[in-house]
Amino acid sequence: MFQKILIANRGEIALRVLRACKELGIQTVVVHSTADSDAMHVRLADESVCIGPPPSRESYLNIHQIVAACEITGADAVHPGYGFLSENAKFADILAAHNITFIGPSGDHIRIMGDKIEAKRTAKRLGIPVVPGSDGAISDDKEARRVAAEIGYPVIIKASAGGGGRGMKVAHTEADLEVALQTAKSEAGAAFGDDAVYIEKYLEKPRHIEVQVFGDGAGRGVHFGERDCSLQRRHQKVWEEANSPALNAEERSRIGGICAKAIADLGYSGAGTIEFLYENGEFYFIEMNTRLQVEHPVTEAITGIDLVHEQIRVASGGGLSVRQADIKFNGHAIECRINAEDPRTFTPSPGTITHFHTPGGLGIRVDSGVYSGYKIPPYYDSLIGKLIVHGRNRVECMMRLRRALDEFVVDGIKTTLPLFRDLVGNPDIANGDYDIHWLEKYLAKGE
Ligand code: ADP
């Protein structure tokens, strides 16, 4: 087992990882920018190293500084959290070259999944169902027209190097295709320095369903069921559930089994999430994330298994603590992402939190790095906390969520709490009846 883990992240996830390390009796080092000296994870860590000024490029993304911090403190492993360097293959390679363990998959696996065309090809080869579309990058208009005619309109053009919902364009008819292709290519070139794009069938009313997987790196793979993250705004997840209200047990074990086998065949190591669009009973792979997800606590709530413990165990060579048969799904969980944003316009609202009171009681978990008197710096994303609620079934979970949202107090800044108070009373949400466009439509109506 590791002696000392360096946490290369900030905010709630830094604290989340720190808690797991403490439970396992592992020493902790955190790195932070000058803007985060007052952060909770900095206060609670055994050691901390300031690695640079506020901009992420010069601190949380500064590989040299982070490696130096490992050497100075004698850390033998790095947990990257999510975002920042968590899916940076070069970072994983550099750490390996310094004999420091990256708590995540190999650089090669990160590289494959970071390129969407390559990821889709690999998924297909491993028997994972994919969205019908071009077999690789599209080179010209003629090829685009041929593929689109074959799969049928509407189609979506996506950047191979894409991420964060950028570089995607929908064409509803052949007349739209040329413009969509050109815009997608130039946006992709400008945003990612790579203008390779591909085409796939545009699904009109899908749900976003993702499967949590784990590999031990030695040919064993398991799945921890799925999460439904269909409630999104601008491709950003807002509310997540486990299990999905749309799947039955047979579908769950079928898609989970396919994913677990794929992970085993790939020789993958650590946590991963295989993301699908789901429509009319069919699953369509869109991408794989090679890291821990923001929404992992809903899976922890229904399985009772600490996924960060598992990540650390696997990375240290101790293997997974569970076999597939040990992973049972108990009840229902929902997570609300609480952002420091205006609940209607979603403009960021940094500033000082004058009062912070979190709900409690059975089935409630709040993961947050903020506290009363904390000043939210304006440099990073606006997530200030996550409310995770567990109940014996979805109805109980929703009742408890409503109560927990009423108890939650964040004064001094605007947050998205009022949005969740509206959502929890909405009949479509109560029925679990929503697709990936539901939230945008709801917000546009201004209800
Ligand atoms: P990114 O890595 O940029 O987040 P994804 O491939 O994960 O890109 O897609 C992000 C979102 O875009 C999906 O959650 C979905 O809302 C939409 N999307 C992607 N592919 C399709 C498709 N083929 N049909 C319909 N919507 C899609």
Side-chain angles (χ1 to χ4, degrees):
M1 189 44 92
F2 303 119
Q3 299 295 311
K4 198 186 263 191
I5 291 178
L6 182 141
I7 301 164
N9 215 299
R10 65 180 300 283
E12 68 86 19
I13 194 62
L15 191 57
R16 163 73 189 90
V17 174
L18 191 131
R19 285 174 171 150
C21 293
K22 285 196 185 256
E23 287 171 7
L24 295 172
I26 299 169
Q27 292 284 304
T28 51
V29 182
V30 299
V31 289
H32 65 92
S33 74
T34 50
D36 279 338
S37 310
D38 286 340
M40 187 63 99
H41 69 282
V42 177
R43 295 181 176 195
L44 292 179
D46 296 304
E47 290 171 77
S48 64
V49 181
C50 180
I51 51 165
S56 309
R57 255 174 304 107
E58 297 170 51
S59 48
Y60 297 103
L61 293 173
N62 188 332
I63 295 179
H64 297 297
Q65 288 285 59
I66 294 169
V67 173
C70 289
E71 309 237 295
I72 293 165
T73 57
D76 46 8
V78 171
H79 195 299
Y82 51 69
F84 294 129
L85 295 169
S86 61
E87 290 177 292
N88 186 311
K90 193 173 123 201
F91 182 52
D93 289 346
I94 290 174
L95 288 178
H98 284 78
N99 282 323
I100 302 164
T101 305
F102 175 75
I103 301 178
S106 68
D108 287 342
H109 283 151
I110 299 176
R111 224 167 262 121
I112 292 173
M113 295 304 169
D115 177 302
K116 291 178 165 233
I117 290 178
E118 198 51 42
K120 202 171 165 186
R121 210 173 264 148
T122 306
K124 203 169 169 183
R125 177 171 61 78
L126 292 168
I128 296 174
V130 301
V131 192
S134 59
D135 188 26
I138 286 285
S139 47
D140 55 37
D141 286 358
K142 198 165 148 239
E143 190 186 0
R145 276 198 299 276
R146 185 182 55 75
V147 174
E150 222 170 84
I151 58 179
Y153 287 90
V155 297
I156 183 166
I157 299 161
K158 299 168 75 171
S160 186
R166 288 180 305 167
M168 289 187 278
K169 287 279 165 278
V170 179
H172 290 276
T173 63
E174 190 172 305
D176 306 338
L177 191 63
E178 199 175 320
V179 175
L181 188 67
Q182 287 322 316
T183 347
K185 265 178 125 41
S186 60
E187 274 184 21
F192 312 111
D194 172 1
D195 73 352
V197 296
Y198 61 104
I199 296 191
E200 60 188 32
K201 176 94 190 142
Y202 180 70
L203 302 164
E204 309 222 40
K205 287 184 177 168
R207 297 181 78 111
H208 173 114
I209 294 182
E210 56 184 38
V211 178
Q212 174 71 57
V213 290
F214 250 92
D216 69 355
R220 211 152 65 87
V222 294
H223 74 89
F224 287 76
E226 84 285 358
R227 295 181 284 261
D228 194 316
C229 316
S230 301
L231 288 175
Q232 302 183 357
R233 178 181 171 269
R234 300 205 176 151
H235 304 305
Q236 299 293 321
K237 297 163 188 167
V238 170
W239 156 307
E240 300 103 344
E241 311 196 24
N243 291 310
S244 168
L247 295 195
N248 59 38
E250 186 276 319
E251 288 175 299
R252 173 164 308 118
S253 84
R254 177 168 62 86
I255 194 65
I258 291 172
C259 292
K261 180 172 183 305
I263 285 306
D265 292 348
L266 194 60
Y268 186 85
S269 175
T273 297
I274 305 186
E275 296 193 337
F276 294 95
L277 295 176
Y278 171 83
E279 194 173 70
N280 299 329
E282 299 290 335
F283 290 91
Y284 303 96
F285 170 87
I286 44 172
E287 67 169 344
M288 175 169 177
N289 293 319
T290 52
R291 55 166 165 83
L292 192 69
Q293 305 265 113
V294 176
E295 58 274 21
H296 76 276
V298 289
T299 301
E300 295 184 325
I302 62 160
T303 60
I305 297 164
D306 186 312
L307 297 180
V308 180
H309 282 191
E310 294 302 315
Q311 285 188 295
I312 295 171
R313 276 183 65 111
V314 167
S316 71
L320 284 160
S321 76
V322 282
R323 285 164 309 185
Q324 192 65 56
D326 304 324
I327 303 169
K328 301 268 194 301
F329 306 112
N330 170 26
H332 194 87
I334 295 176
E335 172 180 279
C336 298
R337 295 194 191 193
I338 300 160
N339 289 346
E341 287 170 359
D342 183 295
R344 281 287 158 206
T345 62
F346 297 92
T347 39
S349 174
T352 300
I353 297 177
T354 51
H355 188 65
F356 189 70
H357 173 81
T358 57
L362 181 65
I364 306 288
R365 167 174 173 183
V366 177
D367 276 19
S368 171
V370 308
Y371 49 86
S372 294
Y374 176 76
K375 187 165 182 227
I376 302 165
Y379 311 102
Y380 311 107
D381 75 18
S382 53
L383 182 73
I384 57 162
K386 307 184 303 203
L387 169 62
I388 304 106
V389 177
H390 182 231
R392 286 176 302 172
N393 50 51
R394 194 167 184 273
V395 172
E396 187 178 89
C397 184
M398 292 282 281
M399 285 178 353
R400 192 165 279 156
L401 175 59
R402 184 194 296 258
R403 185 274 288 172
L405 286 164
D406 283 343
E407 268 179 55
F408 216 132
V409 180
V410 186
D411 287 339
I413 56 157
K414 287 182 183 167
T415 74
T416 47
L417 278 167
L419 169 67
F420 294 115
R421 293 187 185 119
D422 289 346
L423 290 179
V424 81
N426 184 282
D428 288 348
I429 303 294
N431 295 329
D433 184 13
Y434 52 80
D435 62 33
I436 60 169
H437 305 297
W438 190 92
L439 184 60
E440 298 261 11
K441 284 189 203 146
Y442 172 83
L443 292 169
K445 276 188 281 185
E447 276 177 27

